[in-house]
Amino acid sequence: MSLGPYASFIVTSYAAAAVVVAILIGWVVFDYRNQTQRLRELERSGVTRRSGRSAVDTP
């Protein structure tokens, strides 16, 4: 497979894009875990979600 005179640029560009995508995936996973931990802490402290109540439960 020959990429011609721009092979190093092409390979570097694909590698940089792969690194950026991997970082974004890691960021999303980290943030998801962080948010679920925060929700657990709030629910443990007695705070409930409004979306968890039905229309009949409104005060």
Side-chain angles (χ1 to χ4, degrees):
M1 181 166 99
S2 176
L3 298 175
Y6 302 108
S8 63
F9 176 77
I10 293 168
V11 171
T12 304
S13 297
Y14 273 100
V19 167
V20 168
V21 169
I23 289 171
L24 288 173
I25 290 171
W27 182 16
V28 167
V29 169
F30 175 76
D31 189 53
Y32 172 78
R33 290 180 182 170
N34 193 16
Q35 294 299 323
T36 54
Q37 177 66 28
R38 286 183 183 179
L39 281 173
R40 274 189 245 121
E41 289 173 4
L42 286 171
E43 288 175 349
R44 239 183 277 135
S45 69
V47 176
T48 58
R49 292 185 240 174
R50 289 185 291 180
S51 62
R53 297 186 308 205
S54 68
V56 180
D57 296 338
T58 56

